[in-house]
Amino acid sequence: MTKNRLEAFSDGVLAIIITIMVLEIRVPEEPTWHGLLTVLPTLFSYLLSFVYIGIYWNNHHHLLRLASGVNGGILWANLHLLFWLSLFPFVTRWSDESGFAEVPVMVYGITLLLAALAFYILERALIRYQGADGALATALGRDWKGKGSPFIYLAGTLVAVVQPLAAMGVFAIAALIWLVPDRRVERFVGDGRGE
Amino acid sequence: MTKNRLEAFSDGVLAIIITIMVLEIRVPEEPTWHGLLTVLPTLFSYLLSFVYIGIYWNNHHHLLRLASGVNGGILWANLHLLFWLSLFPFVTRWSDESGFAEVPVMVYGITLLLAALAFYILERALIRYQGADGALATALGRDWKGKGSPFIYLAGTLVAVVQPLAAMGVFAIAALIWLVPDRRVERFVGDGRGE
Amino acid sequence: MTKNRLEAFSDGVLAIIITIMVLEIRVPEEPTWHGLLTVLPTLFSYLLSFVYIGIYWNNHHHLLRLASGVNGGILWANLHLLFWLSLFPFVTRWSDESGFAEVPVMVYGITLLLAALAFYILERALIRYQGADGALATALGRDWKGKGSPFIYLAGTLVAVVQPLAAMGVFAIAALIWLVPDRRVERFVGDGRGE
Amino acid sequence: MTKNRLEAFSDGVLAIIITIMVLEIRVPEEPTWHGLLTVLPTLFSYLLSFVYIGIYWNNHHHLLRLASGVNGGILWANLHLLFWLSLFPFVTRWSDESGFAEVPVMVYGITLLLAALAFYILERALIRYQGADGALATALGRDWKGKGSPFIYLAGTLVAVVQPLAAMGVFAIAALIWLVPDRRVERFVGDGRGE
């Protein structure tokens, strides 16, 4: 019951974040293919942020599925994660409107980094609540993706100092790594059939 | 449980898409009936997009109802569908603000086409997961509407090259075809009583 | 299950409608009490639309509670209702920005009228599905509020021709009538204790 | 069932309120660290309002968890609370755009005060429905936080007359008091393990 409401609220917030970003996309000035080309970088950054929110929804879903319950600390760890994710529309817009300038892209990377740390904190809080021999601790195992991705975001943020567009490429690659579904958890709960 | 959360998240995203489009409608410049007339094309394109999102919610609902479960691939097939649907407010606004110019209307049609393909991919992923003799495969049968509508969107997109407003008419007719409820699935699950 | 998802989607749409209207409220130009006074009509029209969406959520909730199931026709009757309700932010903004001019206030009233008719159509569809001797038909009985309020909206719309602000008063009174909870249904399902 | 739908609707509204505020954050004019500095007050007021909505979601969640059911009066007490919370984006934006001038900050404090009173009214309505010896009355006990915080908001509002920025500090401290999870209820329902 409590867990369900946490999921429902998170789903609501994530659904809104993923959707309102489209309100930010400026309509091309000319109604031509060339006009569409001029907003392609905007569409690309929208797609990237869409995929990141999708990844977080996916991982959040897998995480909560194995969780046995929640307490006050977990509720706040979850809100902390949602806070950083809620800044995505802001940092996406800033990066885009600045033409992917150095500082906005660095801020984009830092937001990715802080969201990843917030996810890690939530994960630890859930494992601590369930116990080290619970389903969550077993399923996550060494969790190299969760532990590795903050370093990629940090690397991308540093790359932005030299070449902001290349940094966006790094963030895109980090997203692709996550797109590979989290088979560890899936195998554990046994629905990794087919696909 | 997993299926429920997929539905809940999709419902959230679709509810937001269908609702935020109204934020895009410009208020008429004069507070007169004539002023209202000038925004009628806007209201018409809002209605059309509202109906399309409604159709997708409806079909999504029927589809998931017969699905037996979801896996990582299905989650991403679903997000892929939501991505194209999330572009509706953007393409609706562009078509409208350009006074239904050729390219924006073509982009509207292409978005309809890609959303339809995404729905088809999701359908296949669900059937593959359930097996070819499952309720879904049986209920959908030949699925002429699902297979036929991409061709209508393609036709409308091509019509837009010559006459964009006629293309909007084609898209409106394609919507009307979908408005006929999906009796196949309904009959199968046995709640096609009355109505 | 089907009924639950219909409720969840409607809840989502209504929650968004009721909430995004606040985005429309312009911030007062001066940061003074006088500045706040200048946006009071805006806040009043926001409150009125908030109350109306609240009334519809409330009535929708009571209605669906007694419903035994839904079919394709009911899904579309529900979307039809949501469409008219989704126009509330638009008509509220137009009425407000025009300084409550005649035509925008009439359009506000007509939207109230069409939403009320859409609710009636949904009610009939649900009763038809359940049967004339079902819980819904019995609980609603003569339903004088449901049948009477369209006439109040019509009267208000006509009053707007002469005196738009008086029409807003009529709509506010009609809202107050609905604020009296629907005791018929509540008594029937037996949770009218206390309060 | 009824309680669930009340929770779902409230979750939806709170999720939207907490998320749309980010749409209000203006992008810095220059793409530099200095540009980011100029929007820091905006980000701070966004964070404060995010935390307040989070607190209300948290408390609402604990409150409803112990509630045994709802009636028409409770539905409206809940909508009354949501109304004041829905004004947060408006008062946050006004405070921020005015550079935290006296009147907007006072209006921020008054909105906090009215939301707190609305929460108290909802609490009373739920306790009255359940009875004075129910789980809710027992768990809440003397509820010094619920009864005390309106006085803090009132104090902050008065401080704003002299020093608006100090008032924002008072509101921030009041939020920190709430961040301490509501151990009374948690202990009662017995999930205060770990953490």
Side-chain angles (χ1 to χ4, degrees):
Chain A
M1 157 78 188
T2 284
K3 199 175 94 170
N4 286 1
R5 203 174 164 190
L6 178 77
E7 291 183 323
F9 183 71
S10 306
D11 280 356
V13 170
L14 293 175
I16 297 158
I17 294 172
I18 216 172
T19 318
I20 59 172
M21 280 188 294
V22 83
L23 286 176
E24 318 273 12
I25 306 177
R26 288 154 310 170
V27 156
E29 285 185 25
E30 326 159 22
T32 59
W33 294 113
H34 177 258
L36 190 63
L37 264 180
T38 63
V39 298
L40 265 198
T42 307
L43 288 172
F44 162 77
S45 63
Y46 171 63
L47 172 62
L48 184 61
S49 297
F50 189 99
V51 168
Y52 265 115
I53 301 293
I55 287 166
Y56 273 101
W57 179 73
N58 231 323
N59 291 348
H60 193 267
H61 163 93
H62 283 307
L63 191 66
L64 265 292
R65 207 172 157 190
L66 294 179
S68 39
V70 298
N71 60 13
I74 289 169
L75 293 185
W76 280 105
N78 190 61
L79 275 166
H80 175 235
L81 170 63
L82 293 179
F83 176 73
W84 294 114
L85 296 178
S86 81
L87 289 182
F88 271 50
F90 170 71
V91 295
T92 303
R93 195 178 2 144
W94 196 25
S95 297
D96 172 48
E97 290 193 5
S98 72
F100 301 97
E102 178 195 336
V103 173
V105 171
M106 289 180 76
V107 171
Y108 191 98
I110 292 166
T111 307
L112 279 177
L113 183 62
L114 292 169
L117 293 177
F119 192 85
Y120 185 77
I121 291 169
L122 175 62
E123 201 177 283
R124 288 299 115 186
L126 284 165
I127 288 176
R128 200 160 1 117
Y129 183 76
Q130 193 179 57
D133 50 355
L136 209 51
T138 314
L140 284 170
R142 279 198 308 268
D143 188 20
W144 64 268
K145 272 207 289 193
K147 280 187 186 127
S149 53
F151 294 97
I152 307 184
Y153 304 142
L154 190 61
T157 305
L158 296 175
V159 166
V161 178
V162 188
Q163 182 46 271
L165 272 184
M168 293 306 285
V170 172
F171 301 145
I173 288 165
L176 285 178
I177 294 174
W178 275 112
L179 279 183
V180 183
D182 211 320
R183 296 198 179 280
R184 291 162 306 169
V185 171
E186 235 171 61
R187 204 174 310 122
F188 193 85
V189 298
D191 68 354
R193 249 193 301 154
E195 183 47 36
Chain B
M1 157 78 188
T2 285
K3 197 174 96 171
N4 286 0
R5 203 173 164 193
L6 179 77
E7 289 183 323
F9 183 71
S10 306
D11 280 356
V13 170
L14 293 175
I16 297 157
I17 295 172
I18 216 171
T19 319
I20 59 172
M21 280 188 294
V22 83
L23 286 176
E24 318 273 12
I25 306 179
R26 289 154 309 172
V27 156
E29 287 185 25
E30 327 159 23
T32 59
W33 294 113
H34 177 259
L36 189 64
L37 263 180
T38 62
V39 297
L40 266 198
T42 307
L43 289 171
F44 162 77
S45 63
Y46 171 64
L47 173 62
L48 184 61
S49 296
F50 188 99
V51 167
Y52 265 115
I53 301 294
I55 288 166
Y56 272 101
W57 177 73
N58 231 323
N59 291 347
H60 194 266
H61 163 93
H62 283 307
L63 191 65
L64 265 292
R65 208 172 157 189
L66 293 178
S68 40
V70 298
N71 60 12
I74 289 168
L75 293 185
W76 280 105
N78 190 60
L79 276 166
H80 176 234
L81 169 63
L82 294 178
F83 177 73
W84 293 114
L85 295 178
S86 81
L87 290 182
F88 271 50
F90 169 71
V91 295
T92 303
R93 195 179 2 144
W94 196 26
S95 297
D96 173 48
E97 289 193 5
S98 71
F100 300 98
E102 178 195 336
V103 173
V105 171
M106 287 180 78
V107 172
Y108 191 98
I110 291 166
T111 307
L112 280 176
L113 182 62
L114 292 169
L117 292 178
F119 192 84
Y120 185 77
I121 291 169
L122 175 62
E123 201 177 283
R124 287 299 116 186
L126 284 164
I127 288 176
R128 201 161 0 117
Y129 183 75
Q130 193 179 57
D133 50 354
L136 209 51
T138 314
L140 284 170
R142 278 198 309 268
D143 189 20
W144 64 268
K145 273 207 289 192
K147 280 190 186 125
S149 51
F151 294 98
I152 307 184
Y153 304 141
L154 190 61
T157 305
L158 295 175
V159 165
V161 178
V162 189
Q163 182 46 271
L165 272 183
M168 294 304 285
V170 172
F171 302 144
I173 288 165
L176 286 178
I177 293 174
W178 275 111
L179 279 183
V180 183
D182 211 321
R183 296 198 177 282
R184 292 162 306 169
V185 172
E186 236 172 60
R187 205 176 306 122
F188 192 85
V189 298
D191 69 354
R193 247 194 303 153
E195 186 42 41
Chain C
M1 157 78 186
T2 285
K3 198 174 95 171
N4 286 1
R5 203 172 164 194
L6 179 77
E7 288 183 325
F9 183 72
S10 306
D11 280 356
V13 170
L14 293 175
I16 297 157
I17 295 172
I18 215 171
T19 319
I20 58 172
M21 280 189 295
V22 83
L23 285 176
E24 317 274 12
I25 307 180
R26 289 154 309 172
V27 156
E29 286 184 28
E30 328 159 23
T32 59
W33 294 113
H34 177 259
L36 190 63
L37 263 180
T38 61
V39 297
L40 265 198
T42 306
L43 287 172
F44 163 77
S45 63
Y46 171 63
L47 172 62
L48 184 61
S49 296
F50 189 99
V51 168
Y52 265 115
I53 300 294
I55 288 166
Y56 272 101
W57 178 74
N58 230 323
N59 291 347
H60 193 266
H61 163 94
H62 283 309
L63 191 65
L64 265 291
R65 208 172 157 190
L66 294 179
S68 40
V70 299
N71 58 13
I74 289 168
L75 293 185
W76 280 105
N78 191 59
L79 276 166
H80 175 234
L81 170 63
L82 293 178
F83 176 74
W84 293 113
L85 296 178
S86 82
L87 289 182
F88 270 50
F90 169 72
V91 295
T92 303
R93 192 177 6 144
W94 195 26
S95 297
D96 172 48
E97 289 193 6
S98 72
F100 300 98
E102 179 194 336
V103 172
V105 172
M106 288 181 78
V107 171
Y108 192 99
I110 291 166
T111 306
L112 280 176
L113 182 63
L114 291 169
L117 293 177
F119 191 85
Y120 185 77
I121 291 169
L122 175 61
E123 199 176 284
R124 287 300 113 187
L126 284 164
I127 288 176
R128 201 159 2 114
Y129 183 76
Q130 192 178 57
D133 50 355
L136 209 52
T138 314
L140 284 171
R142 278 198 309 267
D143 188 21
W144 65 269
K145 274 207 287 192
K147 280 189 186 126
S149 52
F151 293 98
I152 307 184
Y153 304 142
L154 190 62
T157 304
L158 296 174
V159 165
V161 179
V162 188
Q163 182 46 270
L165 272 183
M168 292 306 283
V170 171
F171 301 145
I173 289 166
L176 286 177
I177 294 174
W178 275 111
L179 280 182
V180 183
D182 211 320
R183 296 197 178 282
R184 291 161 307 167
V185 172
E186 237 173 60
R187 204 176 307 123
F188 191 85
V189 297
D191 69 354
R193 248 195 299 153
E195 186 47 38
Chain D
M1 157 80 187
T2 284
K3 198 176 95 170
N4 286 0
R5 203 172 163 193
L6 179 77
E7 289 183 323
F9 183 71
S10 306
D11 281 355
V13 170
L14 293 174
I16 296 158
I17 294 173
I18 216 171
T19 318
I20 58 172
M21 280 189 295
V22 83
L23 285 176
E24 318 274 12
I25 307 179
R26 289 154 309 170
V27 156
E29 287 185 25
E30 327 159 23
T32 59
W33 295 113
H34 177 258
L36 190 64
L37 263 180
T38 61
V39 298
L40 265 198
T42 307
L43 288 172
F44 162 77
S45 64
Y46 171 64
L47 173 62
L48 184 62
S49 296
F50 188 100
V51 169
Y52 265 116
I53 301 293
I55 288 166
Y56 272 101
W57 178 74
N58 231 323
N59 292 346
H60 193 266
H61 164 94
H62 282 308
L63 190 66
L64 266 292
R65 207 171 158 190
L66 294 179
S68 39
V70 299
N71 59 13
I74 290 169
L75 292 185
W76 280 104
N78 190 61
L79 275 166
H80 175 235
L81 170 63
L82 293 178
F83 176 74
W84 294 113
L85 296 178
S86 82
L87 289 182
F88 271 50
F90 169 72
V91 295
T92 303
R93 193 178 3 144
W94 196 25
S95 297
D96 173 48
E97 289 193 5
S98 71
F100 300 98
E102 177 194 337
V103 172
V105 171
M106 288 181 77
V107 171
Y108 192 99
I110 291 166
T111 307
L112 280 177
L113 182 63
L114 291 169
L117 292 177
F119 192 84
Y120 184 77
I121 291 169
L122 175 62
E123 200 176 284
R124 287 301 115 187
L126 284 165
I127 289 176
R128 201 160 0 117
Y129 183 76
Q130 192 178 59
D133 50 355
L136 208 52
T138 314
L140 284 170
R142 277 197 310 267
D143 188 20
W144 64 267
K145 273 207 288 192
K147 280 188 186 125
S149 53
F151 293 98
I152 307 183
Y153 303 141
L154 189 62
T157 305
L158 295 175
V159 166
V161 178
V162 188
Q163 182 46 271
L165 272 183
M168 294 305 285
V170 172
F171 302 145
I173 289 165
L176 285 178
I177 294 174
W178 275 111
L179 279 182
V180 183
D182 211 320
R183 296 197 177 280
R184 291 162 306 168
V185 171
E186 236 172 61
R187 204 176 308 123
F188 192 84
V189 298
D191 68 354
R193 249 194 301 152
E195 181 48 36

